[in-house]
Amino acid sequence: MKSGRKQVKRMTGAMRIIHWANAISMVAAVITGLYIGHPYYQTLIADGAVDKYVMAWNRWGHFIVAIIFDVTSIVVAYLYFFSRFEKPYKKLIPTGKNVAEFGEVLLNLVTLNRRKKFDSTHSDSFNTVYFTIFHVLLVWMLFTGLQLYVHGLESGESSIGAWWPALLHLATDWTIPVTGGTLMDVRISHHETMWLIVTWVAFHIYYQIWRTIFWKEGDIAIVFGGSKFAKEQES
Amino acid sequence: MAERIDGVRKLFTSKSARVDTNRGDLYYQQLFDTCRARLDALREQPAVNRLDFDSLLTDEGQDRREFMKWVSAVTAMLMLPPMFTPLVAEAAELMNRLPVVWLELQDCAGNSEALLRSDGPKIDEIVLDIISLEFHESLMAPSGHQAEKQLEDAMEHFKGNYLLFVEGSIPVGAGRDWCTIGASGETFLDHLNRVAENAAAVVAVGACATFGGIPAAAPNPTGAVGVMDVVKGKPVINIPACPANPANMVGVVLHYALTGQVPELDSLLRPKFAFGYRIHDNCERRAHFDAGEYVEEWGDEGAKNNFCLYKMGCKGPMTFNNCSIVRYNEGVNWPIGVGRGCIGCSEPDFWDKYAYERPMANANIKAPTGGVEKTVDQFGLGLLTAAGIGIGIHAVASAVAGKREEGGEG
Ligand code: SF4
Ligand code: SF4
């Protein structure tokens, strides 16, 4: 440890697991989702159909990671309010303090770190808002995706009972009128949102690396070891 | 916006999308009794035309056996247990007690064609022949004032009892005043509303009458809408598709003759017995879909092997209809069977949102702002590129600024 710096804990083990589960799920969801939308590689015609099942495997993978996403979303939503570590919702309330902090972090970014008037030892409100946007996008993917999915269960039955499709209809049918009135609109929105998420990820990775380089506080280590460094006696 | 809120409300108040094919013995016993009483009442009524079903059957060279085969198929289609078979047969025979008025508005007469297609009459058509078509401007001999008179008479005589079939969309925007009917120059809108007023129920047939269809496709010059957007206070049954499958028209009429009620409908007012199923889930090419075997190009090896048409733009995965089960032209074939994809003709906005015969990923979809056509992927890639450029500029600027700072310190 460099002198004059102290280690601060920023992510618990559970949070890091969620982070990496999300990251891996997302890569898998994008790869399989693009295939489902437009099967971009061909299977060899000479194979017997029973031996390949390519679309089915892609859909299988897509749904499995979607379920992981869905479950982590529920956990994350819970942690927003009840985490014993940091409660992100507190940073979301637009109090004067939070708004000021949000502005300062943004200024730090656009002035290329010439101005840094906020406490970077904890999760700031800019980051919290940014992460919340991500989770909102994910929840939207969840609703639109399940809406596209439930129509394969039109008999009203599923392997786990009739409650599941009934619940899905109840929870996701509203996405049809909201996106524009047809199932195709839901599909387009699901696809479009993927691009928003990919763009979000691009900026996220950039920003974390940028912080690491310019703040010199080892921010990138948060997702690996759970902690970063903070200059002592500063803020 | 108000429209969307309304749409959401409708979805939540409508019955679930579940297709319930087994409702238990008690339910069916009660339904059976209702139907029995209804048919007895119908038999008491005087026939509105002199056509006799049995003699028509023999005239057309169909025997009773053929008819009973057809009846059991229709009973199954209507999701009724076999004990209803004799009742369905009876309902078909009593069809000449059922007055029908057929209006044609902004349409191509394709549904009338479907109804009448003349490849040698089959039982569907005989059944439809026998319904008492009191008014159908394209099919009847009288025209002009005489035709109008006939309509007036039918409306008066069968007040509250006739089924109103509507084919074609209704212009309510700029086109409202251009489209008129008859010598009096009544607009389509007024005409429909007036005739619907005394109908027992309104059946919208075909893509245009249900969701506006092709006349309502962008930019919708006439401001076309479907029947359900116009007719209020009457049960409306939608039988979309382009054209509507005659089997589904027969199904609705038979159901009405049998029970005196409209069949169970989905949130888009389509009878569940016909539109409760997705094309994709009953498609004969589905195994190829799951296997990832697609036609890549018209006429290629995959096409010869009946591979899935998804990559050629098939919209079966989001289209609800029973063509994959009942098919067209007396079950001879259907679009996917002949080797082309489904274009989603039974879905709202099908022309704008489904009918491009390219896969979704290659389709030009209207940007939400209207105007410019862009694909979602072009938009997404553009967004990502913009973000990338922004990141690049910021990164370079940061690097330069960082050096300066270090230089200053040093
Ligand atoms: S041809 Fe169309 S409906 Fe049939 S399996 Fe392929 S995508 Fe589905
Ligand atoms: S296959 Fe599709 S496009 Fe063809 S008639 Fe059926 S629903 Fe319409």
Side-chain angles (χ1 to χ4, degrees), chain B residues 279-290 294 307-311 313-317 334 336 340-342:
Chain B
I279 296 286
H280 189 54
D281 293 323
N282 296 297
C283 178
E284 60 226 26
R285 300 182 186 229
R286 177 61 189 264
H288 293 298
F289 172 85
D290 287 329
Y294 304 102
F307 281 7
C308 169
L309 294 155
Y310 188 56
K311 285 185 84 170
C314 180
K315 304 300 183 296
W334 68 299
I336 289 174
R340 46 150 308 124
C342 168

Side-chain angles (χ1 to χ4, degrees), chain B residues 27-361:
Chain B
Y27 172 87
Y28 289 113
Q29 193 52 53
Q30 277 166 356
L31 185 66
F32 191 91
D33 296 340
T34 317
C35 295
R36 187 65 267 157
R38 157 91 181 157
L39 289 176
D40 291 340
L42 216 54
R43 196 177 286 285
E44 291 304 304
Q45 277 175 33
V48 284
N49 64 27
R50 277 183 300 272
L51 292 177
D52 174 62
F53 188 77
D54 275 331
S55 48
L56 213 59
L57 263 188
T58 9
D59 287 354
E60 299 293 357
Q62 303 281 351
D63 59 14
R64 189 84 198 163
R65 219 178 106 81
E66 276 302 307
F67 174 60
M68 287 318 290
K69 256 162 69 183
W70 178 86
V71 167
S72 45
V74 171
T75 310
M77 181 178 95
L78 291 175
M79 297 177 181
L80 295 171
M83 71 195 236
F84 282 80
T85 314
L87 294 191
V88 172
E90 224 180 306
E93 285 155 21
L94 292 172
M95 217 58 122
N96 62 354
R97 268 91 170 159
L98 210 64
V100 169
V101 171
W102 185 294
L103 295 187
E104 274 193 69
L105 304 174
Q106 282 193 132
D107 70 324
C108 67
N111 299 287
S112 298
E113 285 286 348
L115 178 80
L116 295 170
R117 50 178 215 292
S118 53
D119 60 337
K122 299 281 163 44
I123 292 166
D124 285 357
E125 288 144 63
I126 299 171
V127 170
L128 287 170
D129 272 349
I130 202 156
I131 54 175
S132 172
L133 208 47
E134 292 302 309
F135 181 83
H136 189 309
E137 201 132 25
S138 311
L139 301 181
M140 57 202 258
S143 61
H145 289 293
Q146 275 178 306
E148 267 178 39
K149 173 86 173 49
Q150 187 150 338
L151 178 60
E152 297 308 319
D153 287 350
M155 281 167 61
E156 185 55 38
H157 196 78
F158 302 109
K159 204 168 177 163
N161 285 324
Y162 59 88
L163 279 180
L164 173 61
F165 274 71
V166 184
E167 177 180 13
S169 64
I170 306 99
V172 297
R176 181 188 167 134
D177 303 322
W178 313 333
C179 301
T180 63
I181 272 187
S184 60
E186 191 176 27
T187 64
F188 282 7
L189 187 63
D190 294 340
H191 189 65
L192 171 62
N193 273 325
R194 190 163 61 85
V195 183
E197 180 88 39
N198 292 333
V202 186
V203 188
V205 277
C208 303
T210 48
F211 311 125
I214 292 166
N220 192 357
T222 62
V225 297
V227 169
M228 66 176 170
D229 298 314
V230 168
V231 172
K232 301 289 168 210
K234 288 276 160 193
V236 175
I237 305 160
N238 281 333
I239 312 180
C242 193
N245 198 324
N248 297 336
M249 300 189 216
V250 174
V252 167
V253 182
L254 262 181
H255 189 281
Y256 184 73
L258 189 62
T259 62
Q261 288 161 3
V262 300
E264 199 190 341
L265 306 175
D266 72 4
S267 62
L268 294 167
L269 305 182
R270 304 177 292 194
K272 280 190 186 172
F273 73 77
F275 300 92
Y277 298 102
R278 210 162 52 142
I279 296 286
H280 189 54
D281 293 323
N282 296 297
C283 178
E284 60 226 26
R285 300 182 186 229
R286 177 61 189 264
H288 293 298
F289 172 85
D290 287 329
E293 295 178 328
Y294 304 102
V295 177
E296 305 282 338
E297 208 179 300
W298 296 121
D300 68 2
E301 207 49 39
K304 286 178 196 146
N305 285 299
N306 291 341
F307 281 7
C308 169
L309 294 155
Y310 188 56
K311 285 185 84 170
M312 301 310 289
C314 180
K315 304 300 183 296
M318 34 264 308
T319 305
F320 294 80
N321 204 337
N322 58 353
C323 352
S324 42
I325 306 169
V326 303
R327 305 176 157 218
Y328 274 84
N329 298 326
E330 294 298 331
V332 171
N333 213 335
W334 68 299
I336 289 174
V338 303
R340 46 150 308 124
C342 168
I343 57 173
C345 74
S346 53
E347 296 300 315
D349 297 336
F350 93 97
W351 194 258
D352 291 335
K353 290 177 181 165
Y354 289 68
Y356 31 78
E357 288 159 305
R358 278 151 286 161
M360 276 294 295

Side-chain angles (χ1 to χ4, degrees), chain A residues 42-53:
Chain A
Q42 291 180 39
T43 50
L44 293 169
I45 283 173
D47 289 353
V50 281
D51 298 332
K52 31 194 173 181
Y53 231 45

Side-chain angles (χ1 to χ4, degrees), chain A residues 12-25:
Chain A
T12 62
M15 288 161 79
R16 278 175 281 151
I17 290 172
I18 290 174
H19 174 271
W20 289 109
N22 273 359
I24 295 165
S25 297

